[in-house]
Amino acid sequence: MGKWFRRQKGGQSNKDKNEPTFSELLEKCKESKDFISFRQGKSFSFYISYYKTLVNPDFIHRDLLSPITKHPIQSLDELKNLIPVENVTITDDVKDIQDKLLSGFILVHENETSARCALIPAIAVEKRQVTIPETEFSVVGPKESFVEAIDVNINMVRKRLPLPELYAKEILVGKLSKTRVVVMYIQGIANEDNISTVLQRIKDIEFDQIIDSSFITQLMSDNHNSPFPQLIDTERPDRTASVLSEGKIAIFVDGSPQVLTGPTTLPEFFSAFEDYFTTWHIASFFRLLRLFSVMFSVLSSPIYVAVLTYHYQMIPKDLLSPLIASRSGIPFPPIMEAIILELTIELLREAGARLPTKVGQTIGIVGGIVIGTAAVEAGLTSNVLLIIVALAALASFTTPVYQMSNTIRIIRFPFLLAAQFWGIVGVSMCFGFFLSHLLKLTSLGRPYVGPVYPLRLKDLKDSLYRLPFEKLSRRPMQLLPEDPIRFNKTRAEKKQDIDE
Amino acid sequence: MNNIKKAFVIIFLSILNGCSIQPRILEDIQLVTSFGYDYAGKDKIKATINMPITPVVENAPPGNQVLTAIGHTSKNIRQILQSRSPKPLYIGRTTVVLYSKTLAEHGILSLINTLQRDPELGRDLTLAVVDGKVEPLLSFHYPWAEVTTKYMEQLLEQNELQNIPKTNIHDFLFRYYGKGADPFMPLLKKKGNEIKIKGMALFKGDRYVGYIPYRKSFIMKLLFENFKSGIYEFKLKKENHVAIENLASKVDYDVQYRGNQPHITINVNLQGKISEFQSTELIGNQLIKSVEKQADRTITREAKNLVHTFQDLNVDPLGLGHKVNNVTPHFNFSRWNKAYADVPIDINVKIKVVQSGITE
């Protein structure tokens, strides 16, 4: 892998050596049908060149062509003063010209050989409307979600944190795509080490194209071989603003409606942002429910296999006879039965995810009712396992972060195999294996299992459960923030009513 | 992960594979849920096993299947029974084990010992003695529940809540091996198409020596443990009977030395409720007082009789020796065993009627 990157880097640098001249650049551009270059002006004539697919056509007619036909210009400097837009530059750097031309600037030049030309920004931004968050939907609270345009995304966060300390550092990543990646953090709150780690890792990324923020997650995560995501991706601007003020760092990627935040901890993956919109009792209950459902989702079918294969003594006596009755006609051992059903559920989920929404619903009905009932009636699976597997699948969908819920669904398969080979011993062994992996895992160099290990009692207030806001007077120590105090605790607790 | 670590993982996994136990898939094995032993001459026992056969049809009740064989040891018998069963027999889900009275008189330790060693069995296994033969009791199909085992389980379970002291294999072994206590078990009897609890079978060591009737087992439970249910009926005046429902009873043992002689006082505090009164008389304070007084007297007398029965049989199911040992330095068990029959035991029963139902 590393070698492959290095070779490509070498190839790129070779290209850099023989930079094209201005006329060569124009020649190359003219190969494309959407590149337009024409002559304009009477006394002082010049060329106007641009990609018609990248620029805003209204701008050309309204703000460029109409002024210069009314007031004939004599030089490029005059043009610069005439055009009512900022950022008009005059340059002869061919590389700069190439970059700007390809990002939607209009090129005004005197002739086809001299590189001296004016670059006028006329970028046509194709962007989607800001819509309701779909993967992190919440019943109450803000209903904005990020879109593909990075400036809109940054705008939505800046609106929520009007601070000059909210820094946005931009880095271009990707040899071919040259994607804008913006790292945002609050200076004076976010830990300096974390900031430099993030900046350094993004600078070190060697890849040709960055299409989405998930590319960045995969390329900069601490352990590439771990199935657990090591950065949270969110589509909610409110969540991003909230974690920024905790001292975390947000990574915006142009073209991606998801923003990465980190350093993160395992409990954070099981906290939905809606938890902050409900009272703390309800939020805590839901968080604990989600933790329980993760355990249930991962362990229920492996324990079923283990118990039915090895540990018949563990089955409660009133459950024995229904279990035997439902199992007695099944031609497969429990492991086969479990794997078949688990794969069926995964198939349904995958088919539902690949198909358009309307057809996806049909798949749900077909899968849930027809396949489930038919499998039981045909004697292929027992209905007890059908209930367990369906509940486990349901439980896995309670995880608010999509990437994590995928992980939860996948890691039950090694558990199933261990249950078949070594029974409950195998399940506990597999559990121990995953536990030690999680203990070793880090997110941007900070421990992944969060306030639980190493134990930070103060951080626990907002991790596995959530206490009232008055109690959360400190930022998570896990992040080592520069300024740990969120607000004055004594003043927050002293509530003065007027009539007292 | 470097190569050495990888190699270790592969080696350990392959070694563990060798350790793996034989799979016992639930529907491929035959679970035995209760079994019992009869005396079959010198050194020989007859075993009867009862197992539920689950029909393939769903929601149908399981059927009862019984097998019987004679042999020397219980494992030998299992082997013989195996020859007649289509699926391998497993006793891990057994809940009730029965011993015939005749067998119990000869000693049953060897049979309990094998249960004690078996890691598959839980410690909450109920042991019971059968007055008469075990085989007809286990083979009969009772109309009360779909399988005999379930019937016996439920019978014993609900009685242990109200009327008889709680017992299981763990208690039996604790009393058997522990000094200063003797084990006991419920005594069952088959009567027509039902099983009834006849009383509590008393053991000296591992041998059955006698029993106390069911009526008295409530008194034994009062002396034995704290509990919160059960009904006791006694005669108030010439014709009137009163039933007192136990709301909460507490027992407490007090051992004091008078000279060289240990003196045991058993204090029972019972809070009760008059649940039935064989008269139209209104229940007033006066009456409640007399009921309390009469109840104290009756239960104290009954309890004294019971303890005397134990002393006469020279068995110690209440574990008095153990309790005296707790407060005595350098306790001599052999001297205690000789002295047990004559140890003075006082019983104080305090009954408080706290309510008499909703008509009050």
Side-chain angles (χ1 to χ4, degrees):
Chain A
M1 197 73 178
K3 264 183 200 166
W4 186 68
F5 275 134
R6 238 172 277 144
R7 201 162 12 159
Q8 206 176 26
K9 197 179 172 185
Q12 189 73 22
S13 61
N14 272 341
K15 222 183 222 171
D16 288 345
K17 271 176 203 160
N18 39 13
E19 233 170 67
T21 61
F22 184 66
S23 50
E24 277 171 2
L25 175 67
L26 282 182
E27 283 301 311
K28 255 194 261 176
C29 291
K30 276 176 185 160
E31 293 289 318
S32 301
K33 187 80 171 58
D34 59 344
F35 182 76
I36 290 176
S37 182
F38 59 87
R39 223 178 141 88
Q40 179 79 23
K42 287 160 203 156
S43 55
F44 173 74
S45 73
F46 46 84
Y47 291 90
I48 297 177
S49 314
Y50 56 89
Y51 280 95
K52 72 170 180 191
T53 45
L54 285 176
V55 301
N56 186 349
D58 292 347
F59 176 85
I60 299 173
H61 296 122
R62 194 183 59 224
D63 297 326
L64 182 66
L65 293 179
S66 80
I68 57 175
T69 42
K70 278 176 198 157
H71 311 278
I73 51 159
Q74 295 305 320
S75 70
L76 289 175
D77 294 304
E78 232 174 279
L79 178 79
K80 187 178 171 183
N81 293 330
L82 190 66
I83 309 277
V85 285
E86 85 280 11
N87 264 344
V88 177
T89 49
I90 295 171
T91 178
D92 55 358
D93 179 3
V94 178
K95 189 159 189 323
D96 190 33
I97 292 169
Q98 178 185 328
D99 288 348
K100 292 233 165 116
L101 191 61
L102 284 163
S103 62
F105 280 61
I106 297 169
L107 195 64
V108 181
H109 49 106
E110 290 171 19
N111 51 52
E112 290 199 336
T113 47
S114 153
R116 195 177 133 80
C117 58
L119 287 162
I120 303 157
I123 306 161
V125 183
E126 285 306 321
K127 61 171 187 245
R128 195 159 55 96
Q129 283 285 306
V130 174
T131 52
I132 295 174
E134 279 175 6
T135 50
E136 287 174 88
F137 182 77
S138 74
V139 180
V140 288
K143 299 232 178 3
E144 273 183 333
S145 76
F146 287 129
V147 291
E148 284 77 4
I150 188 168
D151 294 324
V152 179
N153 293 351
I154 293 173
N155 165 276
M156 281 193 276
V157 174
R158 274 216 188 271
K159 254 189 336 201
R160 288 174 166 83
L161 292 170
L163 293 170
E165 290 86 5
L166 181 62
Y167 286 6
K169 296 276 156 88
E170 188 173 310
I171 302 164
L172 290 183
V173 187
K175 281 276 178 289
L176 293 179
S177 68
K178 300 203 173 55
T179 312
R180 289 170 65 200
V181 174
V182 173
V183 177
M184 268 183 127
Y185 54 90
I186 301 179
Q187 181 70 25
I189 293 178
N191 182 277
E192 295 289 343
D193 287 350
N194 291 350
I195 298 166
S196 48
T197 311
V198 171
L199 291 174
Q200 191 56 47
R201 288 209 191 156
I202 292 176
K203 275 176 198 153
D204 286 350
I205 289 176
E206 277 291 337
F207 203 62
D208 56 345
Q209 46 148 354
I210 303 293
I211 302 299
D212 187 56
S213 61
S214 49
F215 281 56
I216 300 279
T217 328
Q218 292 173 53
L219 288 163
M220 69 177 282
S221 55
D222 299 35
N223 183 346
H224 295 268
N225 293 326
S226 172
F228 294 93
Q230 287 145 55
L231 289 174
I232 284 197
D233 54 339
T234 178
E235 55 168 3
R236 299 185 66 105
D238 46 351
R239 185 172 192 160
T240 312
S242 163
V243 297
L244 278 173
S245 62
E246 270 181 6
K248 286 181 185 159
I249 298 161
I251 304 165
F252 294 73
V253 179
D254 196 15
S256 166
Q258 259 105 28
V259 167
L260 305 171
T261 60
T264 184
T265 57
L266 189 62
E268 207 190 337
F269 283 93
F270 304 111
S271 68
F273 199 64
E274 201 181 3
D275 293 350
Y276 295 98
F277 305 149
T278 53
T279 57
W280 65 274
H281 325 80
I282 295 166
S284 302
F285 173 74
F286 285 153
R287 282 197 184 174
L288 293 173
L289 182 78
R290 276 183 223 123
L291 276 181
F292 164 78
S293 67
V294 168
M295 294 307 277
F296 181 84
S297 170
V298 173
L299 294 176
S300 60
S301 51
I303 286 178
Y304 172 88
V305 170
V307 166
L308 258 73
T309 313
Y310 294 104
H311 317 285
Y312 69 93
Q313 307 96 323
M314 281 175 66
I315 305 169
K317 58 190 173 203
D318 294 329
L319 208 63
L320 262 176
S321 118
L323 255 183
I324 298 174
S326 82
R327 277 285 304 155
S328 51
I330 317 291
F332 307 115
I335 179 71
M336 284 299 293
E337 190 196 4
I339 286 181
I340 289 172
L341 258 189
E342 291 284 4
L343 283 180
T344 312
I345 293 264
E346 287 303 306
L347 268 178
L348 282 172
R349 189 196 55 74
E350 188 62 20
R354 296 291 148 253
L355 281 168
T357 326
K358 291 271 160 59
V359 191
Q361 286 172 355
T362 326
I363 286 290
I365 297 164
V366 169
I369 299 170
V370 180
I371 300 183
T373 325
V376 171
E377 274 178 12
L380 290 178
T381 56
S382 65
N383 41 20
V384 178
L385 182 66
L386 191 71
I387 294 166
I388 291 176
V389 170
L391 274 180
L394 197 65
S396 77
F397 288 115
T398 62
T399 309
V401 181
Y402 178 73
Q403 307 272 19
M404 188 48 116
S405 74
N406 281 342
T407 308
I408 298 297
R409 270 199 306 281
I410 295 307
I411 59 173
R412 76 172 71 124
F413 288 97
F415 275 93
L416 271 177
L417 289 180
Q420 166 63 20
F421 289 129
W422 307 292
I424 290 288
V425 179
V427 175
S428 358
M429 204 173 66
C430 205
F431 193 80
F433 181 80
F434 272 100
L435 203 63
S436 54
H437 171 70
L438 284 173
L439 285 170
K440 210 178 153 225
L441 205 58
T442 53
S443 162
L444 300 176
R446 304 282 168 224
Y448 192 65
V449 274
V452 182
Y453 187 85
L455 187 64
R456 292 181 202 272
L457 287 175
K458 280 183 179 151
D459 285 10
L460 272 179
K461 286 175 187 170
D462 184 16
S463 57
L464 301 177
Y465 45 87
R466 180 177 86 77
L467 292 189
F469 284 131
E470 298 91 79
K471 304 271 179 206
L472 309 175
S473 66
R474 287 177 160 268
R475 302 205 161 87
M477 284 314 289
Q478 159 91 11
L479 305 167
L480 305 175
E482 303 288 320
D483 177 16
I485 311 291
R486 285 180 104 162
F487 54 82
N488 188 328
K489 197 183 173 190
T490 46
R491 224 169 43 204
E493 280 172 354
K494 197 164 61 190
K495 282 173 187 157
Q496 287 179 328
D497 288 338
I498 297 164
D499 54 7
E500 258 177 45
Chain B
M1 195 160 37
N2 55 33
N3 285 338
I4 297 173
K5 273 191 197 163
K6 271 181 198 163
F8 263 114
V9 168
I10 291 164
I11 290 168
F12 278 131
L13 285 181
S14 53
I15 291 172
L16 261 175
N17 212 4
C19 291
S20 75
I21 40 171
Q22 197 64 29
R24 298 170 295 197
I25 298 171
L26 186 65
E27 72 274 12
D28 296 340
I29 59 175
Q30 181 59 57
L31 299 178
V32 176
T33 52
S34 61
F35 53 88
Y37 299 105
D38 277 313
Y39 185 71
K42 200 175 181 304
D43 287 351
K44 276 195 169 177
I45 47 176
K46 181 163 92 176
T48 311
I49 60 172
N50 184 299
M51 48 216 165
I53 305 291
T54 310
V56 183
V57 195
E58 254 178 72
N59 297 328
N64 240 339
Q65 186 61 38
V66 178
L67 286 178
T68 305
I70 296 178
H72 291 279
T73 62
S74 61
K75 296 290 173 264
N76 168 234
I77 292 172
R78 202 202 285 190
Q79 206 178 0
I80 297 168
L81 291 172
Q82 200 76 75
S83 69
R84 290 156 58 193
S85 163
K87 292 175 185 172
L89 298 171
Y90 281 92
I91 59 162
R93 277 294 356 170
T94 303
T95 46
V96 183
V97 181
L98 303 172
Y99 302 95
S100 80
K101 200 160 121 186
T102 336
L103 185 71
E105 277 164 1
H106 285 83
I108 51 172
L109 185 69
S110 61
L111 292 172
I112 290 177
N113 202 7
T114 168
L115 302 180
Q116 181 198 348
R117 287 164 196 283
D118 201 331
E120 293 201 354
L121 286 168
R123 299 293 98 171
D124 57 347
L125 192 65
T126 309
L127 309 177
V129 175
V130 173
D131 190 5
K133 286 220 183 284
V134 169
E135 194 197 340
L137 187 142
L138 271 182
S139 352
F140 191 79
H141 191 244
Y142 301 91
W144 299 93
E146 55 262 46
V147 278
T148 308
T149 313
K150 201 170 179 186
Y151 172 40
M152 287 191 295
E153 254 170 38
Q154 289 171 342
L155 179 79
L156 287 164
E157 203 173 300
Q158 65 97 357
N159 272 293
E160 277 180 358
L161 278 180
Q162 302 198 349
N163 299 318
I164 60 173
K166 276 184 185 141
T167 56
N168 57 33
I169 186 170
H170 177 80
D171 288 332
F172 183 93
L173 292 166
F174 173 72
R175 293 172 176 283
Y176 178 80
Y177 288 113
K179 281 181 176 168
D182 286 316
F184 55 88
M185 296 178 188
L187 180 68
L188 303 178
K189 188 168 173 63
K190 177 175 182 293
K191 229 179 182 185
N193 65 353
E194 62 187 48
I195 300 174
K196 82 173 231 200
I197 297 176
K198 205 180 166 191
M200 297 305 291
L202 304 173
F203 282 76
K204 185 79 199 170
D206 67 332
R207 278 161 210 272
Y208 169 86
V209 286
Y211 78 98
I212 57 160
Y214 180 68
R215 191 185 139 74
K216 285 192 177 175
S217 62
F218 176 77
I219 305 283
M220 184 172 169
K221 194 173 173 68
L222 272 185
L223 298 180
F224 185 70
E225 62 197 1
N226 301 338
F227 66 114
K228 285 189 177 179
S229 53
I231 285 176
Y232 189 72
E233 182 213 274
F234 62 95
K235 202 187 245 180
L236 184 62
K237 288 170 201 162
K238 280 253 160 70
E239 280 118 35
N240 290 348
H241 281 78
V242 179
I244 286 189
E245 193 180 324
N246 175 17
L247 294 178
S249 93
K250 282 203 170 61
V251 63
D252 141 65
Y253 287 75
D254 186 25
V255 182
Q256 268 171 357
Y257 272 86
R258 291 186 189 159
N260 211 12
Q261 176 85 319
H263 195 97
I264 301 164
T265 315
I266 307 175
N267 298 307
V268 177
N269 278 307
L270 188 147
Q271 292 197 334
K273 158 185 159 186
I274 298 180
S275 61
E276 199 173 340
F277 184 36
Q278 216 178 24
S279 157
T280 51
E281 207 177 320
L282 275 174
I283 299 172
N285 280 344
Q286 196 87 42
L287 183 81
I288 286 175
K289 283 234 171 68
S290 69
V291 166
E292 283 176 352
K293 211 170 164 190
Q294 187 62 41
D296 280 358
R297 218 179 293 152
T298 320
I299 295 181
T300 310
R301 194 180 61 230
E302 294 258 0
K304 272 194 174 147
N305 283 345
L306 187 70
V307 171
H308 283 147
T309 317
F310 293 155
Q311 282 180 318
D312 289 347
L313 286 168
N314 200 22
V315 293
D316 185 7
L318 297 176
L320 295 176
H322 181 70
K323 281 169 180 117
V324 175
N325 176 24
N326 285 348
V327 296
T328 313
H330 312 297
F331 186 70
N332 187 335
F333 270 108
S334 56
R335 228 173 65 208
W336 164 261
N337 287 342
K338 274 177 211 143
Y340 173 67
D342 303 316
V343 168
I345 299 167
D346 262 359
I347 292 166
N348 289 323
V349 180
K350 278 270 167 299
I351 288 173
K352 192 157 171 44
V353 173
V354 289
Q355 56 156 302
S356 56
I358 56 167
T359 55
E360 206 176 343

